[in-house]
Amino acid sequence: MTAPRTLYDKIWDDHVVHQSEDGTCLLYIDRHLVHEVTSPQAFEGLRMAGRKVRAPEKTIAVPDHNVPTTWDREKGIDNEESRIQVDALDKNARDFGINYYPVSDIRQGIVHIVGPEQGWTLPGMTVVCGDSHTATHGAFGSLAHGIGTSEVEHVLATQTLIQKKSKNMKVEITGKLRPGVTAKDITLSVIGKTGTAGGTGYVIEYCGEAIRDLSMEGRMTVCNMAIEGGARAGLIAPDEKTFEYVKGRPHAPKGAAWEAALAYWKTLFTDEGAHFDKVVTIRGEDIAPVVTWGTSPEDVLPITDVVPAPESFAGGKVEAARRSIDYMGLTPGMKLTDIKVDAVFIGSCTNGRIEDLRAAAEVLKGKKLAPGVRGMVVPGSGLVRLQAEEEGLADIFKEAGFEWRLAGCSMCLGMNPDQLAPGERCAATSNRNFEGRMGRGGRTHLMSPVMAAAAAITGHLTDVREVLAETV
Amino acid sequence: MDKFTTITGVAAPMPLVNVDTDMIIPKQFLKTIKRTGLGVNLFDEMRYDQQGNEIPDFVLNQPAYREAQILVAGDNFGCGSSREHAPWALLDFGIRCVIAPSFADIFFNNCFKNGILPIVLPQDQVDVLMADAKKGANARMTVDLEAQTVTTSDGQSFGFEVDPFKKHCLLNGLDDIGLTLEQVSAIDAFEAKASAQRPWV
């Protein structure tokens, strides 16, 4: 009898090409997603060595980081360097014969939204991309993680990665979430509890009733930020919701292949008694709507709390907290709900899916942006945008005073013109609140789409439960 | 990739936790299609003011540390994005070794692909090295990869762990892709077996 295995163990075992005596493995990669920022040097490396892409049919490219999200973008990209990068991806996709969704394609969008949407991401796969938020795809019960450009080149050339196995960590969210609490609050609360290095060396499996209750969109939000907790990957065992989401997508298996796939996918769960090296359990009922106050995703507090005093931390975090609070222009002890915002950003690979837009629109319906606050909604893909327009969500955002944009990474990392000005403060549904992330000197507070919508209405960080209570 | 055997050089102290890749190389410099030339923008927003003038207090702007080859830092160095531009910028500046109590996973791997040695040591030993680094340009540390030791300017020595395969590649400046392609028949065999078992992939 074989020893009980975790979901991660099973996917790992099914992808080992070769294992050396010291435990170093050559791991087979089923899907390689590519974008314009971390790939040019990799393709250049292939050219210089006279190498081909080993499995172009398993390689999918889409420009997302640099692309303008304004409605006039068909006229081209003004910034020369950005244009060169996107042009390079066009050329590389053509020259090497890989699957490609150019800016002009309605299916274009953020790579981590396009992959699942088109059915490229399937349970039990290994998925990599030169982007840390590749963890998103773990929501399907696939082993998905970010890699650097040298590894992008390695995967292009060999369809494998040299890896050592990580340890297993279980994060269980028990029970039910309270009203106003979302997948984003789960994932931020986990990071708040474990810290940004708490997952280093681990692959996390998220489980428990509150995780099972999430939609696929919500599960993607949770896994997306596994990297912010330091983990190599985050994953969730596939279930009927997963299969339902995948079924019928353009690149999902059909007919007999579907049945065979389904039979395999149903074996993808952690066996009873399998060993986890670390276990974290949080009661769903204990999770509140949260926001970040500092410049690390671990700087998480319930919205009802106050800006902490740096002295309340230990070790190197004291100085880091002091620096964060200074950068963020806050005062220890002030109520989080007293923090005024200048901008609201709804979008990103964390929260740019249709369910996110529905949730934010529900809060914003019939409401207006607070005076002086600018708002921007950037759908995660062209297809998300179309669906939101058909459902009338775009009209709600526009009537509230938001700009309604085309798909891309946008302000989440500010590589295109969508940026904060120095000192500007933003309620954002994205994933990183690092110094300068959304623009030099810009200040980012991370939160869920409904919390961002609530802040948009009041002009300050707000407990969405109060806005919801008023609406009833 | 340049080999890494032994270096003796100035170590710059950066006693900050969670130094993220956006700090190491801000996004506006990710638009390059080359691997080189990023050193001038290493730690750009900490190193220069908005007019592009050097901020004198920043460690790498201080005369003692302008030629630093080693960086001593706090926990979780290199967290955030997968951008290999971070180690490219460090390397282009001249940093060949970063010492910290812990590193973010992707950054840690990216270093080895570029001839940079990231060394993990316990906090109390990093504290000793940090104090040594603060002595300035006369305090030169030695990092010996073969022996797996870091030695301070006054001769105090600490051993460190390194993955044997990664050590072998660094010592010899080996290209991973070339090594993997030696196993191409194993990859072929895996693909044949996997396409029979999981044809939908």
Side-chain angles (χ1 to χ4, degrees):
Chain A
M1 207 180 102
T2 53
R5 294 182 296 166
T6 64
L7 171 59
Y8 170 50
D9 296 337
K10 290 180 181 179
I11 301 174
W12 177 272
D13 290 348
D14 278 351
H15 289 86
V16 174
V17 173
H18 177 263
Q19 179 161 350
S20 304
E21 277 174 21
D22 72 347
T24 303
C25 288
L26 198 58
L27 200 70
Y28 194 79
I29 302 303
D30 293 323
R31 291 286 181 268
H32 186 191
L33 309 174
V34 174
H35 66 81
E36 79 278 20
V37 177
T38 57
S39 67
Q41 295 86 350
F43 284 112
E44 193 55 29
L46 291 187
R47 281 199 182 86
M48 284 167 66
R51 290 170 178 148
K52 292 179 177 171
V53 174
R54 180 178 170 98
E57 73 284 1
K58 294 174 180 172
T59 310
I60 301 100
V62 57
D64 56 6
H65 283 59
N66 270 294
V67 299
T69 59
T70 46
W71 287 79
D72 60 353
R73 77 176 178 194
E74 74 273 15
K75 73 175 171 54
I77 303 175
D78 289 336
N79 181 285
E80 191 186 352
E81 290 173 298
S82 292
R83 190 174 63 243
I84 289 170
Q85 257 188 354
V86 173
D87 288 350
L89 188 64
D90 280 341
K91 178 171 165 46
N92 289 330
R94 219 175 26 246
D95 288 359
F96 290 92
I98 62 183
N99 299 286
Y100 188 50
Y101 302 99
V103 177
S104 57
D105 193 310
I106 188 63
R107 296 167 296 180
Q108 178 271 342
I110 306 173
V111 64
H112 307 308
I113 294 192
V114 173
E117 201 168 68
Q118 294 301 318
W120 290 112
T121 307
L122 299 173
M125 282 183 162
T126 47
V127 181
V128 296
C129 174
D131 189 280
S132 57
H133 291 110
T134 310
T136 312
H137 307 265
F140 292 80
S142 59
L143 177 60
H145 60 89
I147 53 178
T149 299
S150 294
E151 290 182 316
V152 169
E153 187 179 338
H154 192 279
V155 177
L156 288 171
T158 69
Q159 206 57 29
T160 64
L161 265 186
I162 300 168
Q163 292 271 292
K164 269 208 170 149
K165 200 174 171 199
S166 303
K167 290 180 282 188
N168 279 287
M169 175 168 169
K170 175 160 92 168
V171 173
E172 185 176 13
I173 314 293
T174 63
K176 301 277 183 197
L177 298 180
R178 294 188 185 279
V181 179
T182 69
K184 185 66 164 288
D185 301 296
I186 292 180
T187 202
L188 282 172
S189 297
V190 171
I191 299 161
K193 185 175 169 111
T194 60
T196 47
T200 304
Y202 293 92
V203 164
I204 297 176
E205 180 176 349
Y206 298 96
C207 61
E209 185 183 357
I211 297 292
R212 295 256 73 87
D213 283 352
L214 292 175
S215 65
M216 287 312 295
E217 283 87 350
R219 293 179 191 182
M220 284 188 255
T221 300
V222 170
C223 290
N224 172 277
M225 291 190 72
I227 182 68
E228 260 61 63
R232 170 158 297 174
L235 38 75
I236 296 173
D239 61 9
E240 290 303 323
K241 275 185 198 169
T242 321
F243 310 144
E244 188 57 34
Y245 180 99
V246 168
K247 196 170 189 178
R249 297 208 172 249
H251 296 279
K254 314 265 185 311
W258 171 263
E259 295 304 326
L262 199 59
Y264 174 71
W265 295 344
K266 287 181 175 174
T267 68
L268 299 173
F269 55 86
T270 291
D271 296 329
E272 191 72 33
H275 176 71
F276 284 97
D277 303 280
K278 188 169 175 180
V279 177
V280 173
T281 306
I282 299 178
R283 279 164 32 103
E285 292 84 354
D286 291 346
I287 300 175
V290 292
V291 296
T292 62
W293 52 266
T295 56
S296 166
E298 70 191 8
D299 299 340
V300 175
L301 282 173
I303 182 65
T304 48
D305 218 316
V306 299
V307 176
E311 302 74 36
S312 64
F313 297 95
K317 188 69 187 172
V318 177
E319 185 48 37
R322 193 171 287 129
R323 185 184 167 93
S324 281
I325 289 169
D326 180 51
Y327 178 87
M328 294 297 286
L330 302 173
T331 313
M334 77 183 285
K335 289 165 73 173
L336 293 172
T337 49
D338 285 343
I339 300 173
K340 291 190 165 58
V341 299
D342 307 299
V344 176
F345 170 68
I346 298 175
S348 85
C349 58
T350 314
N351 282 123
R353 283 168 285 270
I354 190 68
E355 185 185 87
D356 302 312
L357 303 190
R358 284 182 193 139
E362 184 66 27
V363 175
L364 284 165
K365 200 169 186 175
K367 304 272 177 50
K368 296 277 184 209
L369 272 169
V373 176
R374 67 177 174 124
M376 188 187 284
V377 185
V378 184
S381 73
L383 293 178
V384 169
R385 175 175 66 78
L386 277 190
Q387 191 176 348
E389 287 170 356
E390 281 165 18
E391 292 183 15
L393 309 179
D395 291 333
I396 293 174
F397 289 118
K398 285 190 269 189
E399 280 161 21
F402 276 84
E403 285 184 66
W404 179 250
R405 293 294 191 96
L406 301 180
C409 297
S410 180
M411 210 183 238
C412 173
L413 85 165
M415 275 193 77
N416 75 353
D418 309 345
Q419 294 189 18
L420 294 178
E424 233 185 340
R425 187 183 300 281
C426 184
T429 67
S430 49
N431 41 56
R432 289 198 177 124
N433 50 356
F434 295 159
E435 288 179 24
R437 173 80 179 178
M438 300 177 81
R440 183 169 184 152
R443 294 161 171 164
T444 306
H445 295 276
L446 303 176
M447 63 194 74
S448 73
V450 291
M451 285 287 285
I457 296 166
T458 63
H460 54 85
L461 301 189
T462 298
D463 190 335
V464 66
R465 294 169 296 193
E466 288 173 14
V467 175
L468 293 173
E470 280 169 26
T471 316
V472 174
Chain B
M1 184 173 90
D2 286 344
K3 289 178 186 176
F4 188 112
T5 49
T6 300
I7 57 167
T8 297
V10 173
M14 191 175 266
L16 269 181
V17 298
N18 295 332
V19 171
D20 60 65
T21 53
D22 279 80
M23 285 180 181
I24 299 171
I25 186 81
K27 69 234 164 217
Q28 59 269 35
F29 307 109
L30 309 188
K31 295 180 180 180
T32 177
I33 56 171
K34 295 186 296 194
R35 285 179 158 98
T36 52
L38 289 167
V40 66
N41 303 114
L42 176 69
F43 293 112
D44 193 86
E45 291 179 3
M46 300 163 89
R47 196 164 146 204
Y48 307 103
D49 66 18
Q50 303 223 28
Q51 286 70 46
N53 304 308
E54 283 189 5
I55 297 170
D57 285 351
F58 183 69
V59 61
L60 297 181
N61 288 334
Q62 295 170 22
Y65 301 110
R66 299 182 82 95
E67 308 286 323
Q69 290 179 270
I70 301 165
L71 200 59
V72 184
D75 249 325
N76 202 26
F77 189 90
C79 60
S81 93
S82 64
R83 61 187 70 164
E84 200 159 315
H85 309 68
W88 293 339
L90 286 165
L91 186 67
D92 197 62
F93 179 89
I95 304 279
R96 294 295 308 277
C97 175
V98 185
I99 302 170
S102 67
F103 290 87
D105 186 44
I106 304 176
F107 175 83
F108 187 76
N109 281 324
N110 283 343
C111 282
F112 285 100
K113 313 286 182 192
N114 292 283
I116 297 175
L117 175 63
I119 297 177
V120 179
L121 286 175
Q123 184 71 55
D124 57 334
Q125 295 180 9
V126 172
D127 290 345
V128 172
L129 296 174
M130 191 72 79
D132 193 51
K134 284 179 178 169
K135 291 176 188 165
N138 294 325
R140 295 163 71 84
M141 270 179 217
T142 298
V143 177
D144 184 336
L145 176 57
E146 182 61 60
Q148 296 182 212
T149 55
V150 184
T151 308
T152 64
S153 55
D154 55 9
Q156 207 176 346
S157 196
F158 301 112
F160 62 87
E161 296 292 317
V162 61
D163 179 272
F165 176 72
K166 290 188 166 105
K167 176 180 177 179
H168 172 72
C169 290
L170 264 189
L171 282 173
N172 298 289
L174 294 177
D175 164 24
D176 277 354
I177 297 177
L179 289 175
T180 297
L181 287 174
E182 289 173 8
Q183 300 187 55
V184 72
S185 59
I187 302 173
D188 290 340
F190 179 91
E191 275 183 342
K193 185 183 70 159
S195 68
Q197 287 171 347
R198 298 190 297 277
W200 60 87
V201 177

